[in-house]
Amino acid sequence: MPPRPIAVLLTLSVLVACKYREPYQPPPPPPPPPGEDGGSGSDGGVVPPEQPLPWSRRAVTYELLVRSFQDSDGDGKGDLPGLISRLDYLNDGNDSTTTDLGVDAIWLLPVFASPSYHGYDTTDYDQINPAYGTNADFQRLASEAHRRGIKLVLDLVVNHTGSGHPWFQDSASSPTSAHRDWYVWSASDLGWRPPWDPYTGPNCWHQRNGAWYYGLFWSEMPDLNFRNQAVRDEMKRVAQQWLARGADGFRLDAIRYLVEGSGGQADTAETHAYWREFADAVRSVRPDAMMAGEAWTDTSTIAGYYDDLPLNFDFPLAQATIDGVNGGNGAGIASVIDQARSTYAPGATDAPFLSNHDMTRTATRLGSSAGKIKNALAIVLTVPGSPFLYYGEELGLLNGNSCGGCDEDKRSPMPWDATPGGGFTTGTPWHPFAPGQGSANVAAETGVDTSLLSRTRKLIAVHRGSEALSQGSIRWLSRSGSVLAFSRTSGPETVLVVHNLSDSSANAGPYNVTSSRPITLFADPGVTDLSGGTGNFHASLSGRGTGIYRLQ
């Protein structure tokens, strides 16, 4: 981001932060289903699929900021050539190796032209940010990623542009300009506040050249006017163009706020209608494209977007997982999953995650506890849905502390080793590394069987190798207290999963499951194989340990 006066920087920090701190009050959890703790159980409304789901609804996706992943030219900022050089870390294309994470897809935070470090104020949707490389670099990235079996998911910001976009520059120049109606203008200040803070939040109307325009998140991010068919068509064109250039789908930013109307500023009928229109346009060129919506809100509101988009991030589950792991009780996790499954459209696929670029990092929220971090990662990779991991979570990467919890501290450079440049750059990193770089780095954790990195690699491999884990239904076996246990079923395969959410050892079971010869797919040190017999299986769990068993 170019230098700005301190007051402007503070305003930016506050206003952009408003977007990502929308408070919500989750509805009361539903009553536990019958069969808790070993009974007949409940599938939570999930219908086992008859056919394998498309890749976009069963993938393990890795979110990364190009600026922070790998620098290729020594300027201290990551770029596309640098990312290409690190693809084998993400997936080397060989399922027999164990030195890669094995993810199915990578979600790139905004890579289009923008004046800011974060890229959410796009100034040209047709060009890669010059700080990251060129359009040719992107197409080389797509080719190299696809050669390894990695899909590319782009962060697409359609609610607003940057104020420096030529469309807005023309729109603001005159009431009769060609792009005037591409943005939302008023002759007077309408005084709207953000829908998540309607009484004390900052004014969303901003003055320019004698008129007022609507910018929900910041004056330098003017909202596009999606009542204008030209805008609607242009954003569909942008999406189709990047699919043609090698993208495999999109993470869709701020999906709740496209069209303001009589229904308010969020979740209007017009907004839902556009997302259905957009999705149809994407499917017309790529039927299997990923479309993952960001609706940071409660479960019932998220559910409404499953009529529009095939995948939506589960923010309530992210919070419930952190709370459950910190509190040593899985009841809240199970309740949120049940609520989603009873509220979402039939056959909907959840997108579970732990943290993202707008949130304090998982390891920091869990107090740097190695056991709790292990719990959280194991849960997100075994519950129903298409899981997302934020870069560095596999290392236990902490939040930075160089700017008092600013967004940059959540997006610090990837620590590949413990050197001053961290293996990230030969120059000076654009932002300081997070604390703990000496031990939480790829080199230190590689080849160490007990490291978080090695464990995450194993869990991803188990997830990808199991139809039950990647797309199966869920039946709760133990959902209250420190042992969270459930079975996942898809077709003929059933997998039993047990998580110990306490620091002490625990006995799991007995569980009323049927098996003649259970096979251990994954077990932490100190976690035993299943013993007993049909209807009476149990295992011993080490503190914070996980066991995953295929029931033959």
Side-chain angles (χ1 to χ4, degrees):
M1 180 184 298
R4 300 178 185 272
I6 293 297
V8 174
L9 283 173
L10 289 174
T11 301
L12 169 60
S13 176
V14 170
L15 294 188
V16 173
C18 287
K19 168 186 175 183
Y20 301 112
R21 288 170 174 78
E22 301 167 37
Y24 73 91
Q25 296 297 322
E36 180 180 326
D37 296 320
S40 61
S42 166
D43 67 4
V46 181
V47 179
E50 296 298 323
Q51 300 293 332
L53 293 173
W55 79 267
S56 55
R57 294 174 58 198
R58 56 185 294 169
V60 178
T61 303
Y62 187 88
E63 175 193 1
L64 64 88
L65 175 64
V66 171
R67 186 183 185 93
S68 285
F69 205 64
Q70 182 63 55
D71 172 26
S72 70
D73 58 11
D75 68 354
K77 297 185 286 291
D79 46 46
L80 295 182
L83 173 56
I84 292 169
S85 74
R86 293 293 189 180
L87 286 177
D88 282 347
Y89 170 79
L90 300 170
N91 191 330
D92 62 10
N94 185 346
D95 286 341
S96 67
T97 61
T98 59
T99 55
D100 59 335
L101 278 174
V103 298
D104 301 286
I106 52 177
W107 155 23
L108 307 183
L109 291 170
V111 294
F112 306 138
S114 164
S116 65
Y117 87 92
H118 53 74
Y120 282 94
D121 48 352
T122 307
T123 53
D124 189 340
Y125 288 97
D126 293 329
Q127 299 297 322
I128 290 293
N129 190 329
Y132 293 162
T134 65
N135 287 7
D137 289 327
F138 175 81
Q139 292 189 280
R140 185 164 68 92
L141 169 65
S143 175
E144 290 295 322
H146 293 158
R147 187 167 65 83
R148 293 165 171 82
I150 303 171
K151 306 289 189 183
L152 282 183
V153 178
L154 298 184
D155 207 314
L156 186 59
V157 185
V158 305
N159 176 75
H160 53 267
T161 69
S163 62
H165 198 294
W167 300 341
F168 184 71
Q169 294 293 304
D170 180 61
S171 182
S173 67
S174 166
T176 59
S177 67
H179 291 90
R180 184 65 166 191
D181 195 40
W182 281 48
Y183 295 84
V184 183
W185 289 91
S186 170
S188 61
D189 178 5
L190 300 183
W192 298 357
R193 308 290 175 179
W196 56 87
D197 190 5
Y199 302 108
T200 61
N203 191 359
C204 298
W205 288 90
H206 315 282
Q207 193 170 26
R208 180 77 64 97
N209 296 337
W212 297 79
Y213 65 92
Y214 182 65
L216 176 59
F217 298 124
W218 183 37
S219 61
E220 302 308 307
M221 293 178 176
D223 278 41
L224 286 163
N225 177 17
F226 276 86
R227 286 198 167 85
N228 183 330
Q229 190 61 48
V231 172
R232 300 165 78 91
D233 291 342
E234 178 64 10
M235 284 306 167
K236 290 182 289 186
R237 181 200 67 80
V238 167
Q240 291 173 336
Q241 172 178 263
W242 285 100
L243 291 170
R245 290 175 174 177
D248 300 287
F250 305 100
R251 178 267 189 182
L252 300 164
D253 183 66
I255 62 171
R256 302 178 61 202
Y257 307 113
L258 293 195
V259 187
E260 307 74 34
S262 58
Q265 294 164 266
D267 311 312
T268 62
E270 297 95 330
T271 291
H272 284 287
Y274 180 73
W275 284 123
R276 291 192 291 273
E277 183 181 323
F278 177 90
D280 286 345
V282 167
R283 292 190 186 102
S284 71
V285 296
R286 280 292 300 274
D288 67 341
M290 178 178 280
M291 288 177 279
E294 181 214 18
W296 193 331
T297 183
D298 57 85
T299 298
S300 59
T301 305
I302 293 171
Y305 286 94
Y306 277 102
D307 293 329
D308 316 329
L309 301 170
L311 201 62
N312 291 279
F313 290 99
D314 196 332
F315 286 88
L317 181 57
Q319 185 61 53
T321 302
I322 297 298
D323 291 344
V325 168
N326 267 328
N329 192 315
I333 299 169
S335 292
V336 169
I337 291 173
D338 278 349
Q339 185 179 40
R341 297 305 164 187
S342 64
T343 308
Y344 291 174
T349 301
D350 206 5
F353 70 103
L354 297 172
S355 67
N356 64 25
H357 57 286
D358 296 316
M359 304 164 76
T360 300
R361 280 189 170 273
T362 300
T364 299
R365 297 168 77 195
L366 294 175
S368 302
S369 165
K372 291 180 179 180
I373 299 166
K374 285 169 52 179
N375 268 165
L377 282 168
I379 289 169
V380 81
L381 287 166
T382 54
V383 296
S386 180
F388 284 70
L389 301 178
Y390 187 39
Y391 78 96
E393 279 183 330
E394 74 276 18
L395 305 174
L397 189 62
L398 293 166
N399 235 51
N401 60 8
S402 63
C403 55
C406 65
D407 282 342
E408 291 92 325
D409 274 348
K410 304 165 186 172
R411 309 166 188 179
S412 58
M414 180 75 169
W416 297 98
D417 59 40
T419 63
F424 162 72
T425 183
T426 57
T428 302
W430 76 273
H431 192 73
F433 290 98
Q437 180 199 352
S439 56
N441 68 71
V442 174
E445 298 192 31
T446 295
V448 180
D449 192 56
T450 56
S451 72
L452 188 63
L453 174 59
S454 295
R455 182 177 184 270
T456 305
R457 286 168 170 163
K458 294 173 187 174
L459 283 167
I460 292 174
V462 169
H463 181 281
R464 295 182 71 217
S466 167
E467 292 289 322
L469 287 177
S470 65
Q471 66 177 43
S473 61
I474 187 167
R475 180 168 75 96
W476 299 111
L477 299 171
S478 176
R479 49 180 283 153
S480 59
S482 62
V483 175
L484 181 65
F486 48 88
S487 62
R488 303 281 312 279
T489 299
S490 178
E493 183 190 27
T494 295
V495 169
L496 172 64
V497 180
V498 288
H499 301 292
N500 179 9
L501 307 186
S502 76
D503 294 321
S504 303
S505 59
N507 292 318
Y511 298 126
N512 184 17
V513 294
T514 301
S515 180
S516 60
R517 186 173 57 89
I519 302 296
T520 301
L521 299 179
F522 174 89
D524 279 312
V527 175
T528 65
D529 294 340
L530 280 183
S531 57
T534 293
N536 190 35
F537 279 107
H538 57 272
S540 296
L541 304 176
S542 54
R544 301 289 174 178
T546 289
I548 305 174
Y549 311 94
R550 177 175 285 129
L551 304 180
Q552 300 293 97

